[in-house]
Amino acid sequence: MSAEFKILVDLLIIFAAAKIFSEIFTRIKQPVVIGELIAGAVIGAHGLGLISTTHVNDAIAELGVIFLLFLVGLETRMDDMREVGRPAILVGFFGVLVPLIMGYGLYTLFGYDSIHSLFMGTALVATSIGITARVLGDMGILKHRTSRIILGAAILDDILGLLVLALVASLAKGSFNYVEFIVLLVEAVLFVLFLTTFGPKLAGRHIHKFIDRLRISDAPFAIGIITVLGLSVLAEYIGLAAIIGAFLAGIVLSETSDFLDLEKKIQPVGNLLIPIFFVVMGTKFDIFGLFNASTLVLLLLTFVVAVISKMIGSAIGTIGLGYKTMLQTGIGMVPRGEVGIVVGTIGLSLGIIGKDLYGIVLGMSILTTVVVPPLLSLVFGIKKKTVKKTTDSKIIM
Amino acid sequence: MSAEFKILVDLLIIFAAAKIFSEIFTRIKQPVVIGELIAGAVIGAHGLGLISTTHVNDAIAELGVIFLLFLVGLETRMDDMREVGRPAILVGFFGVLVPLIMGYGLYTLFGYDSIHSLFMGTALVATSIGITARVLGDMGILKHRTSRIILGAAILDDILGLLVLALVASLAKGSFNYVEFIVLLVEAVLFVLFLTTFGPKLAGRHIHKFIDRLRISDAPFAIGIITVLGLSVLAEYIGLAAIIGAFLAGIVLSETSDFLDLEKKIQPVGNLLIPIFFVVMGTKFDIFGLFNASTLVLLLLTFVVAVISKMIGSAIGTIGLGYKTMLQTGIGMVPRGEVGIVVGTIGLSLGIIGKDLYGIVLGMSILTTVVVPPLLSLVFGIKKKTVKKTTDSKIIM
């Protein structure tokens, strides 16, 4: 079987499994995204072994999450974000600080040394913006005030989480490079501030004229693709994650997106690639592998700490906004999803943690991801009817 | 640089280069597809070396040509094809026979043994349906009667070409397996006949009801993707090419595609992936490497034979349809594009030919591809104004 043919077969299996499980989960009135994650667990190397983990699948999956964040960004107006700026920043900040401290505390209690404990704390800090955005999008409440707080905070804690990870990784190497860290910090701040402050205005002012000058057909689509790929590459290049660049690309084009008809043009690409991302994420879940006696207790405690610490951090950030917003935000921030998995993978590849702690990070990421969607429906008081109706018009299948 | 990041960078460079060269070629009133091929030659390993040849790029490129053929198939009604059935079959058949004989003759004259000569004849047989469809689509004449003859014949000669290749490859191995060959032959015939005869009717009768029963959002898109990936995999599995399955998937869904609004939903996916295919094809062109004295003469003769033999074969098939149709069909059938390259690559990997003959096959594929688009505009009498207007609404950017 040639490499290209194998990829085609994998994509067919992944996409078909995504749709079959989506159909089942729609019928049993559960979030489609959970269906896709479970589809991945079923067909993946730890399940039926129908597809294997390859760089190609991972790359196409990453394209999926990039287009997801781009689409979310396109729906996000900076004015709306600024309106929730204060709580979003506070939730993002305390949502990093509290899990970091509590995670560190838990592992220190269990006798791990400071580097291991610090790393496990780090694995707890970043909320999965992909999962969160998807679930909120599926519920059709992406523009809800609390959703905006959650999105803003999730972007911020991804950035803070990456900075903490860079810090811990260099500590683990035994040599903390102040200069490198400060460069990363400054780059990250400038990148985000520049794009969110000037990006939409610059795009709004110049993009019409630029597109008018182009002779190629469907120039807006081309501009959209080049912007999202370009800023994703740039974000990753300066040490942030590609998805942060993709979200910011959406923000930059959000105010011109109606004019460019971009959402409609990008959506089908997302419809193809986004389910692939969630299925491929699912393939990494080795649920049975996790359940051995020695790690099970620690996993469950880590999960509890992951949930409680994030909810405390979010609650601190939303003090004064009322009990309901505090609860909604807290639950919305719980899923660690792919970000937790990525942090775990980096830790394993750098030799900071071993297979046992890696398994716990994966397990924590999965558990926090799986429990949240039904809880979110509950606290947002979404009725099934509404969910079904809105998914048709909203982001993502 | 991680593998995933590398892929992201490659995609950015490929897509941006495609658009820059498309813009230039639109301005100098040349076919966009040539611009994309040249973009590939410029950024590829034989040019500036900005991207490398990887399985991932090849795989994404193959997805591109699959979606191209799927979109062409969606625009193709079997009734229209049946109307040109006789000339299409004749052009397909003689367009394989004449190049095979003349190619064999040329290489026998130059003293090559029968297997080498036979292989070089085989490399000349198959028209690139990808290039042809793209050029006809860009000109907005995909539904023109002659275009339908060309498309039908190109599909047929791809199938015949693959059969001949299977034959030659087993002869080269020294063991011709009758059973295997007959199985392939029967499978190919059944596959194509079944899908073209019953496919559209079955889809027309059952797909409405099936989609009505599904609860997932955007079921038509999901059905479209699963059909195209499924039939591509199936075609490749039985020994045909994935693109033949993709084209047939389009045919199967063509009569229900208006109802499903499929073209509009698939087009953006094509807009992203199709330029990537042509750029990646361009990266394989080592124009300078071809021009050494020893192979140059043989290359030019091979090119001349490739053009003349295909035009003779097409002319035989279109006798009685008038001089203009004969000329249009003949020129339309000339480009060997990716099919020639694929045949050459198979020959090289099986050890049937060496680097020198492989270079000639590549050179012939490129030359036949590059000369055709301007000639086609000429013989179809397309004015630039018309070309520009129709590209906006037609397949492919």
Side-chain angles (χ1 to χ4, degrees), chain B residues 266-324:
Chain B
I266 301 293
Q267 186 65 59
V269 178
N271 287 350
L272 176 64
L273 297 176
I274 295 168
I276 295 174
F277 168 70
F278 288 101
V279 174
V280 169
M281 262 188 66
T283 62
K284 309 201 185 289
F285 295 178
D286 180 11
I287 295 171
F288 300 109
L290 288 169
F291 291 94
N292 67 68
S294 64
T295 57
L296 196 56
V297 176
L298 199 50
L299 167 61
L300 288 178
L301 283 172
T302 306
F303 167 63
V304 171
V305 166
V307 173
I308 291 176
S309 64
K310 205 56 156 175
M311 292 191 69
I312 294 174
S314 305
I316 297 173
T318 47
I319 282 175
L321 299 181
Y323 169 73
K324 202 173 168 188

Coordinates of all heavy atoms in Angstrom, one line a residue, chain B residues 266-324:
Chain B
I266 N -18.6 21.8 -2.2 CA -17.4 21.1 -2.4 C -16.3 22.1 -3.0 O -15.1 22.0 -2.7 CB -17.5 19.9 -3.3 CG1 -18.5 18.9 -2.8 CG2 -16.2 19.3 -3.6 CD1 -18.0 18.2 -1.5
Q267 N -16.8 23.1 -3.7 CA -16.0 24.0 -4.4 C -14.9 24.7 -3.5 O -13.7 24.7 -3.9 CB -16.8 25.1 -5.1 CG -16.0 26.1 -6.0 CD -15.4 25.3 -7.2 OE1 -16.1 24.7 -8.0 NE2 -14.1 25.4 -7.3
P268 N -15.3 25.2 -2.3 CA -14.2 25.8 -1.5 C -13.1 24.8 -1.1 O -11.9 25.2 -1.0 CB -15.0 26.3 -0.3 CG -16.4 26.5 -0.7 CD -16.6 25.4 -1.7
V269 N -13.5 23.6 -0.9 CA -12.4 22.6 -0.6 C -11.5 22.4 -1.8 O -10.3 22.4 -1.7 CB -13.1 21.2 -0.3 CG1 -12.0 20.2 0.0 CG2 -14.0 21.3 0.9
G270 N -12.1 22.4 -3.0 CA -11.3 22.4 -4.2 C -10.4 23.7 -4.4 O -9.3 23.6 -4.7
N271 N -11.0 24.8 -4.0 CA -10.2 26.1 -4.1 C -9.0 26.0 -3.3 O -8.0 26.6 -3.6 CB -11.1 27.2 -3.7 CG -12.2 27.6 -4.7 OD1 -12.2 27.0 -5.9 ND2 -13.1 28.4 -4.4
L272 N -9.1 25.3 -2.2 CA -7.9 25.2 -1.3 C -6.9 24.2 -1.9 O -5.7 24.4 -2.0 CB -8.3 24.8 0.1 CG -7.2 24.6 1.1 CD1 -6.4 25.8 1.3 CD2 -7.7 24.0 2.4
L273 N -7.4 23.0 -2.3 CA -6.6 21.9 -2.5 C -6.1 21.8 -4.0 O -5.0 21.3 -4.2 CB -7.3 20.6 -2.2 CG -7.7 20.4 -0.7 CD1 -8.4 19.1 -0.5 CD2 -6.4 20.4 0.2
I274 N -6.9 22.2 -5.0 CA -6.5 22.0 -6.4 C -5.2 22.8 -6.7 O -4.4 22.2 -7.4 CB -7.7 22.4 -7.3 CG1 -8.8 21.4 -7.1 CG2 -7.3 22.4 -8.8 CD1 -10.2 21.7 -7.7
P275 N -5.1 24.1 -6.3 CA -3.8 24.7 -6.7 C -2.6 24.0 -6.0 O -1.6 24.0 -6.6 CB -4.0 26.1 -6.0 CG -5.5 26.3 -5.9 CD -6.0 25.0 -5.6
I276 N -2.8 23.4 -4.9 CA -1.7 22.7 -4.2 C -1.3 21.5 -5.1 O -0.1 21.3 -5.3 CB -2.2 22.2 -2.8 CG1 -2.4 23.4 -1.9 CG2 -1.1 21.3 -2.2 CD1 -3.0 23.1 -0.6
F277 N -2.2 20.8 -5.7 CA -1.9 19.8 -6.6 C -1.0 20.2 -7.8 O 0.0 19.6 -8.1 CB -3.2 19.1 -7.2 CG -2.9 18.2 -8.4 CD1 -2.2 17.0 -8.1 CD2 -3.2 18.5 -9.7 CE1 -1.9 16.1 -9.2 CE2 -2.9 17.7 -10.7 CZ -2.3 16.5 -10.5
F278 N -1.4 21.3 -8.4 CA -0.6 21.8 -9.6 C 0.7 22.3 -9.2 O 1.7 22.1 -9.9 CB -1.4 22.8 -10.4 CG -2.6 22.1 -11.2 CD1 -3.9 22.1 -10.7 CD2 -2.3 21.3 -12.3 CE1 -4.9 21.5 -11.4 CE2 -3.3 20.7 -13.0 CZ -4.6 20.8 -12.5
V279 N 0.8 23.0 -8.1 CA 2.1 23.5 -7.6 C 3.0 22.3 -7.3 O 4.2 22.3 -7.7 CB 2.0 24.4 -6.4 CG1 3.3 24.8 -5.8 CG2 1.2 25.7 -6.8
V280 N 2.5 21.3 -6.5 CA 3.3 20.2 -6.2 C 3.8 19.4 -7.4 O 4.9 19.0 -7.5 CB 2.5 19.2 -5.2 CG1 3.3 17.9 -5.1 CG2 2.4 19.9 -3.9
M281 N 2.9 19.3 -8.5 CA 3.3 18.7 -9.7 C 4.5 19.5 -10.3 O 5.4 19.0 -10.8 CB 2.2 18.8 -10.7 CG 1.5 17.4 -10.8 SD 0.3 17.5 -12.2 CE 1.4 17.6 -13.6
G282 N 4.4 20.8 -10.2 CA 5.4 21.7 -10.7 C 6.8 21.5 -10.0 O 7.8 21.6 -10.6
T283 N 6.7 21.2 -8.7 CA 8.0 21.0 -8.0 C 8.8 19.8 -8.5 O 9.9 19.7 -8.3 CB 7.7 20.7 -6.5 OG1 7.0 19.5 -6.3 CG2 7.0 21.9 -5.8
K284 N 8.1 18.9 -9.2 CA 8.8 17.7 -9.7 C 9.5 18.0 -11.1 O 10.3 17.1 -11.5 CB 7.8 16.6 -9.9 CG 7.0 16.3 -8.7 CD 6.4 14.9 -8.7 CE 5.4 14.8 -7.5 NZ 6.1 14.8 -6.2
F285 N 9.3 19.2 -11.6 CA 9.9 19.5 -12.9 C 11.4 19.9 -12.7 O 11.6 20.9 -12.0 CB 9.2 20.7 -13.6 CG 7.8 20.4 -14.0 CD1 7.0 21.3 -14.5 CD2 7.2 19.1 -13.8 CE1 5.7 21.1 -14.9 CE2 5.9 18.8 -14.1 CZ 5.1 19.8 -14.7
D286 N 12.3 19.2 -13.3 CA 13.7 19.6 -13.2 C 14.1 20.0 -14.6 O 14.8 19.3 -15.3 CB 14.5 18.5 -12.7 CG 16.0 18.8 -12.6 OD1 16.3 20.0 -12.8 OD2 16.8 17.9 -12.4
I287 N 13.7 21.2 -15.0 CA 13.8 21.6 -16.4 C 15.3 21.6 -16.8 O 15.6 21.1 -17.9 CB 13.2 23.0 -16.6 CG1 11.7 22.9 -16.4 CG2 13.4 23.5 -18.0 CD1 11.0 24.2 -16.3
F288 N 16.1 22.1 -16.0 CA 17.5 22.2 -16.4 C 18.2 20.9 -16.4 O 19.0 20.6 -17.3 CB 18.3 23.2 -15.4 CG 17.7 24.6 -15.4 CD1 17.0 25.0 -14.4 CD2 17.8 25.3 -16.6 CE1 16.4 26.3 -14.4 CE2 17.2 26.6 -16.6 CZ 16.5 27.1 -15.5
G289 N 17.8 20.0 -15.5 CA 18.4 18.7 -15.4 C 18.1 17.9 -16.7 O 18.8 17.0 -17.1
L290 N 17.0 18.3 -17.4 CA 16.7 17.5 -18.6 C 17.6 17.9 -19.8 O 17.8 17.0 -20.7 CB 15.2 17.9 -19.0 CG 14.1 17.3 -18.1 CD1 12.8 18.0 -18.5 CD2 14.0 15.8 -18.3
F291 N 18.1 19.1 -19.7 CA 18.8 19.5 -20.9 C 20.3 19.2 -21.0 O 21.1 20.0 -20.8 CB 18.6 21.0 -21.1 CG 17.2 21.4 -21.5 CD1 16.2 21.7 -20.5 CD2 16.7 21.3 -22.8 CE1 14.9 22.0 -20.8 CE2 15.4 21.6 -23.1 CZ 14.5 21.9 -22.1
N292 N 20.5 17.9 -21.1 CA 21.9 17.5 -21.4 C 21.9 16.9 -22.8 O 20.9 16.3 -23.2 CB 22.5 16.6 -20.3 CG 21.9 15.3 -20.3 OD1 22.0 14.5 -21.2 ND2 21.1 15.0 -19.2
A293 N 23.0 17.1 -23.5 CA 23.0 16.7 -24.9 C 22.6 15.3 -25.2 O 21.8 15.1 -26.2 CB 24.5 16.9 -25.4
S294 N 22.9 14.4 -24.4 CA 22.6 13.0 -24.7 C 21.1 12.7 -24.8 O 20.7 11.9 -25.6 CB 23.3 12.0 -23.7 OG 22.8 12.2 -22.5
T295 N 20.3 13.3 -23.9 CA 18.9 13.0 -23.9 C 18.1 14.0 -24.7 O 16.9 13.8 -24.9 CB 18.4 12.9 -22.5 OG1 18.7 14.2 -21.8 CG2 19.0 11.8 -21.7
L296 N 18.6 15.2 -25.0 CA 17.8 16.2 -25.5 C 17.2 15.9 -26.9 O 16.0 16.1 -27.0 CB 18.7 17.5 -25.7 CG 18.0 18.8 -25.9 CD1 17.0 19.1 -24.8 CD2 18.9 20.0 -26.1
V297 N 17.9 15.2 -27.7 CA 17.4 14.8 -29.0 C 16.2 13.9 -28.8 O 15.2 14.0 -29.4 CB 18.5 14.2 -29.9 CG1 17.9 13.7 -31.2 CG2 19.6 15.2 -30.2
L298 N 16.5 12.8 -28.0 CA 15.5 11.8 -27.8 C 14.3 12.4 -27.1 O 13.1 12.1 -27.5 CB 16.1 10.7 -26.9 CG 15.4 9.4 -26.9 CD1 15.1 8.9 -28.3 CD2 16.2 8.3 -26.1
L299 N 14.5 13.4 -26.2 CA 13.3 14.0 -25.6 C 12.5 14.8 -26.6 O 11.3 14.6 -26.6 CB 13.8 15.0 -24.5 CG 12.8 16.0 -24.0 CD1 11.6 15.3 -23.3 CD2 13.4 17.0 -23.0
L300 N 13.2 15.5 -27.5 CA 12.4 16.3 -28.5 C 11.6 15.4 -29.4 O 10.5 15.6 -29.7 CB 13.3 17.2 -29.2 CG 13.8 18.4 -28.4 CD1 14.8 19.3 -29.2 CD2 12.7 19.2 -27.8
L301 N 12.3 14.3 -29.8 CA 11.6 13.3 -30.7 C 10.4 12.7 -30.0 O 9.4 12.5 -30.6 CB 12.6 12.3 -31.2 CG 13.5 12.7 -32.3 CD1 14.6 11.6 -32.5 CD2 12.7 13.0 -33.6
T302 N 10.6 12.4 -28.7 CA 9.6 11.7 -27.9 C 8.4 12.7 -27.8 O 7.2 12.3 -28.0 CB 10.1 11.4 -26.5 OG1 11.2 10.6 -26.7 CG2 9.0 10.6 -25.7
F303 N 8.7 14.0 -27.6 CA 7.7 15.0 -27.5 C 6.9 15.1 -28.8 O 5.7 15.1 -28.8 CB 8.3 16.3 -27.1 CG 7.4 17.5 -27.3 CD1 6.3 17.7 -26.5 CD2 7.7 18.5 -28.3 CE1 5.4 18.8 -26.7 CE2 6.9 19.6 -28.4 CZ 5.7 19.7 -27.7
V304 N 7.6 15.1 -29.9 CA 7.0 15.2 -31.2 C 6.1 14.0 -31.5 O 4.9 14.1 -31.9 CB 8.0 15.3 -32.4 CG1 7.4 15.2 -33.7 CG2 8.7 16.7 -32.2
V305 N 6.6 12.8 -31.1 CA 5.8 11.6 -31.3 C 4.6 11.6 -30.4 O 3.5 11.2 -30.8 CB 6.7 10.3 -31.0 CG1 5.8 9.1 -30.8 CG2 7.7 10.1 -32.2
A306 N 4.8 12.1 -29.2 CA 3.7 12.2 -28.2 C 2.5 13.0 -28.8 O 1.4 12.7 -28.7 CB 4.1 12.7 -26.9
V307 N 2.9 14.2 -29.3 CA 1.9 15.1 -29.9 C 1.2 14.5 -31.1 O 0.0 14.4 -31.2 CB 2.5 16.4 -30.2 CG1 1.5 17.3 -30.9 CG2 3.0 17.1 -29.0
I308 N 2.1 14.1 -32.1 CA 1.5 13.6 -33.4 C 0.7 12.3 -33.2 O -0.4 12.2 -33.7 CB 2.7 13.3 -34.4 CG1 3.3 14.7 -34.8 CG2 2.2 12.6 -35.6 CD1 4.5 14.5 -35.7
S309 N 1.2 11.4 -32.4 CA 0.5 10.1 -32.2 C -0.9 10.3 -31.6 O -1.8 9.7 -32.0 CB 1.4 9.1 -31.4 OG 1.5 9.6 -30.1
K310 N -0.9 11.2 -30.6 CA -2.2 11.4 -29.9 C -3.1 12.1 -30.9 O -4.4 11.8 -30.9 CB -1.9 12.3 -28.7 CG -2.9 12.2 -27.6 CD -3.1 10.7 -27.1 CE -3.7 10.7 -25.7 NZ -4.0 9.3 -25.3
M311 N -2.6 13.0 -31.7 CA -3.5 13.7 -32.6 C -4.0 12.8 -33.7 O -5.2 12.9 -34.1 CB -2.8 15.0 -33.2 CG -2.6 16.0 -32.1 SD -2.0 17.6 -32.7 CE -3.5 18.2 -33.6
I312 N -3.2 11.9 -34.2 CA -3.6 10.9 -35.2 C -4.7 10.0 -34.6 O -5.8 9.8 -35.2 CB -2.4 10.0 -35.7 CG1 -1.4 10.9 -36.5 CG2 -2.9 8.9 -36.5 CD1 -0.1 10.1 -36.8
G313 N -4.4 9.5 -33.4 CA -5.4 8.6 -32.7 C -6.7 9.3 -32.5 O -7.8 8.7 -32.8
S314 N -6.7 10.6 -32.1 CA -7.9 11.3 -31.9 C -8.6 11.6 -33.2 O -9.8 11.6 -33.3 CB -7.6 12.7 -31.2 OG -6.9 12.5 -30.0
A315 N -7.8 11.9 -34.2 CA -8.4 12.2 -35.5 C -9.1 10.9 -36.1 O -10.2 11.0 -36.6 CB -7.3 12.6 -36.5
I316 N -8.5 9.7 -35.9 CA -9.2 8.5 -36.3 C -10.5 8.4 -35.6 O -11.6 8.1 -36.2 CB -8.3 7.3 -36.0 CG1 -7.0 7.3 -36.8 CG2 -9.1 6.0 -36.3 CD1 -6.0 6.2 -36.5
G317 N -10.5 8.7 -34.3 CA -11.7 8.5 -33.5 C -12.8 9.5 -33.8 O -14.0 9.3 -33.5
T318 N -12.4 10.7 -34.4 CA -13.4 11.7 -34.7 C -13.7 11.9 -36.2 O -14.2 12.9 -36.6 CB -13.0 13.1 -34.1 OG1 -11.6 13.3 -34.4 CG2 -13.2 13.1 -32.6
I319 N -13.3 10.9 -37.0 CA -13.6 11.0 -38.4 C -15.0 11.2 -38.6 O -15.9 10.6 -38.0 CB -13.1 9.7 -39.1 CG1 -11.6 9.7 -39.3 CG2 -13.8 9.5 -40.5 CD1 -11.1 8.4 -39.9
G320 N -15.3 12.2 -39.5 CA -16.7 12.5 -39.8 C -17.3 13.6 -39.0 O -18.5 14.0 -39.3
L321 N -16.6 14.0 -38.0 CA -17.2 15.1 -37.1 C -16.7 16.5 -37.5 O -17.0 17.5 -36.9 CB -16.8 14.8 -35.6 CG -17.4 13.5 -35.0 CD1 -16.9 13.4 -33.6 CD2 -18.9 13.4 -35.2
G322 N -16.0 16.5 -38.6 CA -15.6 17.8 -39.1 C -14.1 18.1 -38.7 O -13.7 17.7 -37.6
Y323 N -13.5 18.9 -39.5 CA -12.1 19.3 -39.3 C -11.8 19.9 -37.9 O -10.9 19.6 -37.2 CB -11.6 20.2 -40.4 CG -10.3 20.8 -40.2 CD1 -9.1 20.1 -40.3 CD2 -10.2 22.2 -39.9 CE1 -7.9 20.7 -40.1 CE2 -9.0 22.8 -39.6 CZ -7.8 22.1 -39.7 OH -6.6 22.7 -39.5
K324 N -12.8 20.8 -37.5 CA -12.6 21.6 -36.3 C -12.6 20.7 -35.1 O -11.8 20.8 -34.2 CB -13.7 22.7 -36.2 CG -13.3 23.9 -35.4 CD -14.3 25.0 -35.4 CE -14.1 26.0 -34.3 NZ -15.2 27.0 -34.3

